[in-house]
Amino acid sequence: MSGKISRRAFLKGAAGVAVGASLLRPSRAKAKVTTKQIRYVPSVCNFCSTTCSIMVAVNPKGKAVKIEGNSKSSLNQGRICARGQTGLQLLYNPHRLKYPLIRVEGSKRGEWKFRKATWDEVIDYIIKKLKDENIQPWEIAMPSGWFNCVFYMPVSLAFTLAYGMPNIVASPMQHCVGSSHFGNDLVIGDFNIHDEVLADYDKADYILAALGNASMGGISTSRAVRFAKAVRRGAEVVILDPRLSETASRATKWIPIKPGTDLEFFLAMMSEMLNKGYYNADFLKKHTNMPHLVFAENGQPVMEIDKKRNMPAKFYVYDENSKKIVAVPGYTNTNEKDITGKGISPALEIPANVRFRGKKVITVFQLFRKQLSQFTPEWAEKITGVSASTIRAVAKGFGTAKHPVMDPGWHGSRYRNIVLIRRVQTMIQALTGNIDKEGGWVFSGEHHEKVANFLRAMQKGEEVRPGEMPGMLFAMALLNLYGNPRSWKHGHPHFSFAFSIVNEKEGKPAVLMPAFADWGLDEAVEGKLKWLDGKPYQIKAFFINGNNPIRNFYTAERWKKFFTHKNVKLIIVHDVLPTEAAAYADVILPSTTYLERDEPFVYGNGPNPDLMKTTRFKVVEPLYDVKSYPDVAMMWLEKLNLLDPFYEWMEKLFGLPAEHYKKVVSEEVRKGKSYNDALRKATEMLLEKKHPGIMARMKKDGVVLIEKKEEFLKKSALFYKLPAPTPSGRVEFYSYMMAMMVQQHGYNEFIDPTIKYIPAEVTGKKIGENEFYFIYGKTPTESHASAATLDNKLLSFVNNLIDPLEKYGLWINSKVARKLGIKSGDLLEVVNTKTGQKIHIQAYVTEKVRPDTVFMPSSFGSEARQLKVAYGVGAPLSEIVSYGVEPIAAGFLSQEFTVRLKKL
Amino acid sequence: MARYGMIIDATTCLGCNACTVACIEENQTAYWGDKVRTRVYEKEVGSYPDTDRIFQTQICVHCDDPPCVDVCPTGASHIGPGGVVLVDYEKCILCGACVEVCPYDARYFYTPQDVQKAREEYGPDNEHFVPHVDKCTLCIHRIEQGLEPACVATCVGESRIFVDWDNLTPEQEALAKKAVPLFKGSDYSNIFRGNFDPKPKIRYIIDKENAVPKKKVGVGVWLWHYLAKPLGLLSIAGILGVLGLNYIITKPQVKKIKEQLEEMKSEEKNKEE
């Protein structure tokens, strides 16, 4: 030890002689000392809808210098992913939209010829153009980004309703919330799996996931932190994915299933679980509709309906104690008592000759077991390529685990049977009883709060406002507003619903619940959608709000066609970065980033099972002449004298007192405050009256804890203790919601309330030589096609650091590549065999993907010339995926095609 | 006395590189030149369907017996509080001996050009006000405030665990039993017949083969291992001789940038006044 020290001492001495005096020594202390003067401002990450809580470090000069996860929030537990870490790259991105712009007269859309303007000028320009071109409110479509829902819901709804503009085209609906989530929602009554369910992956001992990388390895931090804990603890992790994703690489078993055959796997798995008794019989009897009786001849439920409230009044079960059929209440969480309150023991299986009103009846459980019996593991093996023994092993492992967790799933409409896939996955989770329970699927604190408030109000006979309804009830209330012609003075519902209504009348295929979709937009733009009044229902203007439909929707060509169509008279873009869509604007309204604003409302902490309240606090003053969405919406309404109805709708929908908001906002605006800040002030005043000091606490900690998950689960676990927002309050294997849809629209197999097998379109398709299944997915460094992650030097650095081809290229199996003479880096032409759409992309030859499949990372291929970092990197998904929607919620058929490759 | 370090559990690393970005943002590293203090590489092993993805975390392992400190002619590289290996920017002459000798590829040059760029990127107050050799400090400035290193604090897979080896919690104790020093059983120990052990304070839990990056054994490592370490004095002249060249090349640039900096500072001062 001493020898070393002396050697070092000597080295120091030697250095002194050699170089000592020759170097300048700036006599200043180390820069890091300044960390003591750093202050932290809490906010909410905006890079994906996990909505992680963050703390932003600001230096004494007011510059934001670092983003940290907020450890006070149990959602992301102090951590944030690479995307969230780079928020400052967005804030300080030199390519930002810095001031309002008006397209130069005589130029063409897409050419990027703009002149600088003032805010007054652009708002006047919009109002004048609307008037000159006689554009009615329903003739404007608003393609809208996810955060306009999550953070601005009251503004979005009140703005569109006050204005009479039903046409919100919301970016995550057809991609996931409307379609794939709807499958989960039908069974357990929530609305949006992103916000309302967070699985306890960390306590799970068996995790099973399919259809994508997004929720865990992809990364959603709240899920990934929990998932990693399970991996460390040695949980069994089984991932179905045709490619070896980040998530799959952490699995104990990666099953490279044939693309499009997930449904077959899960049907066989569920069948096996029912056959072998891998289910929680006690839970099924008490808290699901498995013991409810159906007629044996047609599978129709034995039930009575309260016609006035259009809700189930009674169901019937077979009581094992009295050996009799008894009625149970229509809306409740449990079948343990009959309608008179007498304790009963409902049977899952009943004797063969039990009859009701002369007809033979069986239980839902028996019906499902019979229906599923044809889906044996051997049957599934032939279709999925997964051996029957593996399917049996997964069924057993999952069904007998103590805390099994099926990943509820993120993103990915993908196939026409997606609603059914997600429905069956949820049923499999429910078979284990592991819902709203420690170590299972747990509902968010906010969902619990809303359910409890709703039930309380119901008991008291009070009215519940649409915006305060929980889960599916909220979704249904919204659809009834936006999809119903009678909700609008002008008689025009959302154009997708209009298109469905007209199609249904004419006997053409219709989508039943095209919630905030783009379905029918082609017809509406081209003037081919004839409305009930005999006049064309036309879309003549776009207000593109925090969204880039050319990349977020399918197909790019289709949206460019809309934006250059002669019928489209006005395009307004409100965004942070100059995206592809912004290039087509007539007017650009530059937006604040999430770090430059206080937000008008206080909201829940995403899917956090603990009930925490949070909001955004302004980290830095806006860097440029930019405004927030509420400013734009309210300046617009002000010009049309429509602010009063705006406040009224906020009250009608969300209980935000109109008089109070009107008074405070007009006072504040008179003082020179922005609408956004004025709304915030009004909200703070209300909150402070109710909970003094709450805003100060929130500003310090970022989140305020109201109630812990453990308390909820003890007192008000859904299904176990309280009914959920399904029609029956129970877990619904037999879907009463779908039964209602059948009643309303007539039967089709997609809305069969039991299980009707529908293979994906690509399943069973003969794959020719040099033909491949096409799959896409998410990587940890990119949000879906978001310019914020694409035009980002740090994320771009990380992508290049690992392997640019892996991150931007088309994954092709090495054996096949060898046969085709393709090497990594070769430029390929990829052709969609359904439509002939083509892209050029470099090959990434790998062992990480099935030989019959190619995989493409989902986010790249920007052609926005103003985005110097993003421009020209990789290829765009929206140019190879063909347009098509499934028939329930217009979910995108984003993997229902095959491709051919050609080396260039 | 604390002995700070990390356990890196490669089995839970998700390969997301949140750590890499957190470190860049926290420490203003020269990422534009592909120079960072830590990163996660990825490697594909096996053939379909028995394929695996290996995530390899690279970072300074903060040796108790660090070769870089041994060869530093000015004492710029030193062992700081908690056993953390640090570089004193103002003493560093960019001779590069430490860069060459580090078996972990954990050091890089923050060149005059990088200093210039850092000024544009992070502002005139940036941390890297002079050219120097840069490396992981284990975020000692954060540790001193009771925070974890930036990479650890944000690690989504909780793959990086900050520890004080002299004061492990029971939970860390269990993990520590599974953790091994980098390069154990790999090329280095073979070449040096098992003699090579600079006693790193960052150790890895690896359940998959090759979960740590390898570096080719460079001249510097040989020099250090066979000359500097056993012979002490004798080798110093040689190493300085080889590497002095580097210093001569960079010296004028270093001088220039420092002058520019002083100029800028005084300009700013004038403005304020």
Side-chain angles (χ1 to χ4, degrees):
Chain A
M1 194 69 190
S2 64
K4 272 181 217 155
I5 288 167
S6 64
R7 193 169 65 242
R8 276 181 200 132
F10 175 82
L11 286 170
K12 277 187 187 175
V17 174
V19 293
S22 69
L23 264 181
L24 274 170
R25 293 261 165 87
S27 61
R28 67 183 228 184
K30 270 197 173 172
K32 280 292 178 198
V33 177
T34 54
T35 43
K36 287 206 177 108
Q37 295 148 348
I38 292 283
R39 67 191 165 89
Y40 286 94
V41 182
S43 189
V44 180
C45 184
N46 203 56
F47 279 80
C48 81
S49 54
T50 303
T51 65
C52 290
S53 299
I54 55 172
M55 283 285 183
V56 187
V58 182
N59 75 10
K61 287 189 171 167
K63 189 174 186 235
V65 290
K66 176 91 200 306
I67 297 181
E68 309 258 345
N70 180 355
S71 54
K72 291 270 169 32
S73 161
S74 45
L75 175 65
N76 49 308
Q77 305 175 355
R79 291 154 201 277
I80 43 164
C81 70
R83 286 166 286 147
Q85 286 280 350
T86 63
L88 304 182
Q89 293 288 326
L90 177 66
L91 174 65
Y92 295 116
N93 188 322
H95 313 136
R96 273 182 66 177
L97 296 165
K98 296 169 184 158
Y99 32 76
L101 294 167
I102 294 177
R103 189 162 58 78
V104 173
E105 235 171 288
S107 67
K108 278 197 199 127
R109 287 186 188 141
E111 286 182 344
W112 200 268
K113 283 193 179 148
F114 290 100
R115 66 176 171 85
K116 198 172 165 178
T118 65
W119 276 94
D120 283 338
E121 223 180 327
V122 283
I123 298 291
D124 286 344
Y125 180 97
I126 292 168
I127 302 297
K128 183 169 182 300
K129 194 83 182 174
L130 291 170
K131 218 176 131 203
D132 290 353
E133 298 286 352
N134 190 25
I135 299 168
Q136 300 303 316
W138 66 88
E139 293 175 330
I140 307 169
M142 181 166 85
S144 207
W146 64 274
F147 52 90
N148 293 326
C149 265
V150 176
F151 308 113
Y152 291 125
M153 183 68 86
V155 169
S156 287
L157 300 188
F159 169 51
T160 49
L161 286 159
Y163 189 19
M165 184 175 88
N167 292 321
I168 303 176
V169 181
S171 136
M173 295 304 288
Q174 290 165 281
H175 314 68
C176 60
V177 176
S179 52
S180 111
H181 291 185
F182 189 61
N184 309 86
D185 307 344
L186 285 170
V187 184
I188 55 171
D190 61 319
F191 161 51
N192 177 351
I193 216 95
H194 282 183
D195 301 352
E196 295 181 354
V197 172
L198 181 57
D200 256 352
Y201 303 94
D202 47 338
K203 298 197 182 67
D205 52 3
Y206 201 108
I207 296 174
L208 175 59
L211 286 155
N213 189 37
S215 78
M216 296 182 286
I219 274 180
S220 158
T221 301
S222 65
R223 279 123 186 137
V225 288
R226 289 164 169 83
F227 173 66
K229 285 192 179 106
V231 170
R232 174 167 298 141
R233 260 208 0 264
E236 192 73 18
V237 179
V238 178
I239 306 293
L240 306 182
D241 196 331
R243 66 134 188 163
L244 186 66
S245 65
E246 281 84 0
T247 313
S249 80
R250 301 298 96 177
T252 40
K253 190 165 184 61
W254 167 44
I255 301 178
I257 191 170
K258 194 168 191 175
T261 66
D262 306 84
L263 176 63
E264 287 81 351
F265 181 96
F266 288 125
L267 284 177
M269 179 180 168
M270 186 169 168
S271 171
E272 177 76 3
M273 287 171 77
L274 288 177
N275 267 335
K276 294 279 166 66
Y278 304 141
Y279 52 80
N280 181 339
D282 189 55
F283 179 80
L284 295 185
K285 278 182 189 177
K286 289 178 181 165
H287 307 297
T288 75
N289 64 1
M290 280 294 219
H292 291 186
L293 298 181
V294 294
F295 292 109
E297 55 175 22
N298 57 9
Q300 292 285 329
V302 184
M303 65 187 287
E304 272 157 47
I305 290 175
D306 176 346
K307 292 243 166 68
K308 227 167 52 202
R309 293 156 65 211
N310 197 23
M311 270 179 75
K314 278 180 203 167
F315 296 103
Y316 292 89
V317 299
Y318 182 81
D319 177 19
E320 279 172 327
N321 297 340
S322 63
K323 310 270 185 252
K324 273 188 190 145
I325 292 175
V326 293
V328 289
Y331 186 75
T332 175
N333 67 311
T334 179
N335 303 308
E336 288 164 285
K337 285 179 184 159
D338 71 7
I339 40 169
T340 65
K342 202 178 96 198
I344 56 164
S345 173
L348 286 178
E349 291 174 90
I350 62 173
N353 52 3
V354 178
R355 286 170 178 273
F356 185 79
R357 288 175 196 155
K359 287 185 194 160
K360 192 171 174 260
V361 289
I362 54 174
T363 62
V364 169
F365 180 86
Q366 287 171 311
L367 175 70
F368 269 62
R369 193 143 87 174
K370 194 172 136 219
Q371 278 193 333
L372 283 160
S373 62
Q374 55 184 304
F375 307 123
T376 62
E378 281 72 20
W379 165 82
E381 175 177 324
K382 280 189 215 128
I383 304 170
T384 60
V386 183
S387 74
S389 62
T390 302
I391 299 173
R392 287 209 162 84
V394 173
K396 185 174 181 188
F398 189 89
T400 57
K402 197 156 172 244
H403 298 297
V405 163
M406 174 80 77
D407 178 40
W410 252 55
H411 186 87
S413 178
R414 301 179 199 269
Y415 300 108
R416 67 170 180 167
N417 56 8
I418 187 67
V419 173
L420 184 55
I421 299 177
R422 292 300 192 200
R423 216 180 126 218
V424 172
Q425 281 184 281
T426 311
M427 289 186 201
I428 289 174
Q429 182 70 24
L431 282 181
T432 67
N434 212 18
I435 290 185
D436 223 19
K437 223 176 118 182
E438 203 76 49
W441 286 15
V442 181
F443 290 106
S444 71
E446 209 184 10
H447 189 59
H448 274 127
E449 184 190 36
K450 280 186 181 161
V451 170
N453 289 345
F454 172 74
L455 294 174
R456 212 172 297 130
M458 275 229 312
Q459 258 171 4
K460 286 192 203 157
E462 285 168 9
E463 184 212 3
V464 181
R465 293 187 168 86
E468 293 169 333
M469 286 185 176
M472 276 311 266
L473 293 171
F474 171 66
M476 292 301 133
L478 276 196
L479 292 189
N480 192 40
L481 273 175
Y482 286 80
N484 187 346
R486 283 189 296 266
S487 305
W488 303 87
K489 267 189 228 144
H490 49 62
H492 295 79
H494 188 290
F495 66 81
S496 279
F497 279 89
F499 191 51
S500 270
I501 292 168
V502 169
N503 276 10
E504 217 167 37
K505 260 208 169 118
E506 295 174 359
K508 287 191 210 149
V511 174
L512 303 179
M513 291 210 289
F516 303 115
D518 74 344
W519 190 63
L521 190 51
D522 300 65
E523 290 76 4
V525 167
E526 286 160 16
K528 290 181 190 154
L529 169 55
K530 208 171 233 170
W531 185 227
L532 302 176
D533 57 8
K535 291 181 196 149
Y537 184 154
Q538 223 172 319
I539 294 298
K540 295 182 186 163
F542 287 93
F543 172 33
I544 302 166
N545 189 358
N547 177 271
N548 177 17
I550 291 176
R551 290 289 172 256
N552 298 147
F553 283 75
Y554 308 112
T555 65
E557 200 193 349
R558 191 168 152 256
W559 282 85
K560 285 178 193 168
K561 184 188 78 190
F562 300 152
F563 293 157
T564 49
H565 201 281
K566 62 173 174 29
N567 292 349
V568 173
K569 306 294 183 196
L570 176 63
I571 298 177
I572 306 156
V573 168
H574 178 54
D575 210 336
V576 175
L577 288 169
T579 62
E580 282 92 334
Y584 289 88
D586 300 315
V587 193
I588 293 181
L589 314 174
S591 172
T592 51
T593 65
Y594 66 109
L595 299 173
E596 294 166 300
R597 61 186 181 234
D598 292 324
E599 276 176 0
F601 310 106
V602 165
Y603 29 77
N605 191 208
N608 196 342
D610 294 331
L611 179 58
M612 289 184 162
K613 297 284 178 183
T614 188
T615 187
R616 287 194 169 119
F617 290 87
K618 195 188 283 180
V619 176
V620 296
E621 286 301 320
L623 298 182
Y624 307 106
D625 187 12
V626 292
K627 289 192 189 296
S628 306
Y629 171 35
D631 299 325
V632 171
M634 292 175 79
M635 281 159 74
W636 190 331
L637 292 178
E638 185 199 352
K639 293 272 178 191
L640 302 170
N641 270 327
L642 288 172
L643 278 177
D644 281 350
F646 174 84
Y647 297 122
E648 282 154 23
W649 275 111
M650 289 220 301
E651 174 156 346
K652 242 189 269 179
L653 294 173
F654 296 92
L656 301 163
E659 276 311 310
H660 167 78
Y661 273 88
K662 189 180 166 181
K663 185 167 157 269
V664 177
V665 171
S666 37
E667 266 168 30
E668 292 294 308
V669 168
R670 245 199 320 275
K671 279 190 242 165
K673 282 264 185 70
S674 70
Y675 277 112
N676 179 77
D677 294 357
L679 283 175
R680 168 66 166 256
K681 172 97 192 244
T683 301
E684 287 191 0
M685 284 166 71
L686 278 183
L687 269 175
E688 282 296 321
K689 217 184 276 170
K690 237 172 156 182
H691 313 280
I694 189 171
M695 288 317 293
R697 266 157 64 211
M698 209 176 287
K699 182 149 196 185
K700 185 171 154 274
D701 293 340
V703 288
V704 173
L705 174 69
I706 309 289
E707 195 161 1
K708 295 278 285 177
K709 158 182 148 189
E710 289 73 18
E711 289 298 308
F712 282 121
L713 294 186
K714 219 179 344 173
K715 276 186 349 215
S716 56
L718 297 193
F719 304 117
Y720 285 97
K721 303 269 161 67
L722 293 180
T726 57
S728 70
R730 306 150 171 102
V731 174
E732 296 191 351
F733 285 80
Y734 182 98
S735 175
Y736 298 125
M737 186 95 84
M738 286 206 157
M740 284 191 256
M741 289 167 76
V742 171
Q743 239 176 28
Q744 215 177 333
H745 300 281
Y747 179 83
N748 81 56
E749 57 186 9
F750 284 90
I751 49 170
D752 192 304
T754 63
I755 288 180
K756 176 84 186 158
Y757 170 55
I758 306 162
E761 278 177 30
V762 287
T763 301
K765 185 178 185 300
K766 260 223 161 79
I767 297 288
E769 187 117 329
N770 182 21
E771 189 178 357
F772 299 87
Y773 294 107
F774 178 90
I775 60 169
Y776 66 92
K778 189 150 162 4
T779 56
T781 45
E782 302 300 328
S783 304
H784 298 289
S786 158
T789 49
L790 282 183
D791 202 60
N792 186 312
K793 283 183 292 183
L794 282 184
L795 293 176
S796 159
F797 165 74
V798 170
N799 290 334
N800 286 302
L801 160 76
I802 296 168
D803 182 347
L805 289 177
E806 184 192 306
K807 293 297 171 195
Y808 314 134
L810 187 79
W811 294 25
I812 175 167
N813 179 282
S814 50
K815 248 195 213 121
V816 183
R818 212 171 305 132
K819 246 201 319 216
L820 296 173
I822 294 171
K823 289 190 296 299
S824 269
D826 286 349
L827 194 64
L828 304 177
E829 181 181 82
V830 185
V831 184
N832 180 329
T833 58
K834 210 165 158 184
T835 59
Q837 282 165 272
K838 281 177 197 165
I839 52 164
H840 290 173
I841 185 170
Q842 278 180 294
Y844 170 64
V845 175
T846 177
E847 300 288 341
K848 297 190 288 252
V849 65
R850 283 174 65 94
D852 58 2
T853 304
V854 291
F855 164 81
M856 184 169 151
S858 69
S859 300
F860 299 94
S862 173
E863 56 180 22
R865 285 188 180 275
Q866 274 61 36
L867 300 175
K868 308 284 182 221
V869 179
Y871 179 76
V873 176
L877 189 68
S878 65
E879 288 182 15
I880 187 70
V881 170
S882 34
Y883 186 75
V885 298
E886 53 80 38
I888 299 180
F892 289 129
L893 304 182
S894 44
Q895 287 184 179
E896 290 280 31
F897 63 94
T898 58
V899 294
R900 266 195 203 92
L901 307 182
K902 194 169 109 195
K903 194 174 143 182
L904 292 176
Chain B
M1 254 297 269
R3 279 175 66 239
Y4 296 126
M6 266 187 225
I7 295 170
I8 295 179
D9 184 352
T11 64
T12 72
C13 174
L14 298 165
C16 72
N17 271 295
C19 49
T20 308
V21 179
C23 176
I24 294 172
E25 291 280 53
E26 177 78 31
N27 296 304
Q28 307 178 334
T29 55
Y31 72 92
W32 46 83
D34 195 18
K35 295 186 273 197
V36 288
R37 292 179 180 180
T38 187
R39 62 179 96 199
V40 179
Y41 290 107
E42 189 185 325
K43 203 167 138 188
E44 176 182 306
V45 293
S47 54
Y48 179 88
D50 298 314
T51 325
D52 211 341
R53 293 172 78 164
I54 310 284
F55 300 120
Q56 307 175 323
T57 305
Q58 188 220 17
I59 189 169
C60 167
V61 296
H62 295 277
C63 307
D64 271 347
D65 187 6
C68 56
V69 172
D70 278 355
V71 301
C72 179
T74 67
S77 282
H78 63 283
I79 296 186
V84 176
V85 177
L86 298 172
V87 176
D88 186 332
Y89 300 171
E90 293 173 49
K91 284 187 188 160
C92 179
I93 56 169
L94 286 103
C95 73
C98 55
V99 177
E100 180 57 36
V101 83
C102 174
Y104 302 96
D105 216 354
R107 290 170 167 252
Y108 69 87
F109 292 101
Y110 218 109
T111 65
Q113 291 84 347
D114 290 331
V115 171
Q116 201 87 37
K117 181 90 176 122
R119 235 184 262 165
E120 293 161 20
E121 189 84 11
Y122 305 116
D125 275 346
N126 84 83
E127 181 187 340
H128 304 279
F129 51 94
V130 288
H132 60 93
V133 166
D134 196 48
K135 70 174 290 297
C136 165
T137 62
L138 215 63
C139 287
I140 190 74
H141 62 286
R142 287 174 61 105
I143 297 174
E144 280 165 356
Q145 295 173 66
L147 298 170
E148 289 182 322
C151 61
V152 174
T154 208
C155 177
V156 177
E158 295 186 18
S159 164
R160 295 171 181 237
I161 299 138
F162 175 62
V163 298
D164 172 359
W165 288 104
D166 289 342
N167 216 343
L168 296 174
T169 66
E171 213 173 71
Q172 292 170 349
E173 197 95 52
L175 290 172
K177 280 193 191 121
K178 291 190 273 180
V180 295
L182 182 59
F183 298 137
K184 191 179 177 187
S186 69
D187 292 1
Y188 277 92
S189 54
N190 292 339
I191 289 162
F192 298 116
R193 296 185 200 92
N195 296 333
F196 180 82
D197 184 14
K199 303 193 184 72
K201 287 192 286 300
I202 288 183
R203 292 172 171 242
Y204 291 74
I205 299 176
I206 302 153
D207 71 341
K208 295 174 179 179
E209 190 201 351
N210 299 326
V212 287
K214 282 180 187 172
K215 187 192 169 191
K216 277 207 178 118
V217 179
V219 181
V221 184
W222 282 95
L223 283 177
W224 173 76
H225 191 72
Y226 288 115
L227 292 175
K229 206 168 146 74
L231 304 175
L233 300 180
L234 206 97
S235 61
I236 291 150
I239 291 176
L240 282 182
V242 173
L243 302 167
L245 205 60
N246 205 336
Y247 166 60
I248 292 162
I249 295 166
T250 38
K251 185 181 155 187
Q253 289 170 310
V254 174
K255 200 174 162 186
K256 196 173 144 206
I257 202 141
K258 282 179 179 176
E259 283 165 3
Q260 279 176 353
L261 190 89
E262 289 303 311
E263 231 170 76
M264 246 172 63
K265 283 273 125 185
S266 59
E267 257 173 43
E268 249 171 53
K269 224 177 167 185
N270 289 343
K271 236 193 245 164
E272 274 166 32
E273 281 167 14

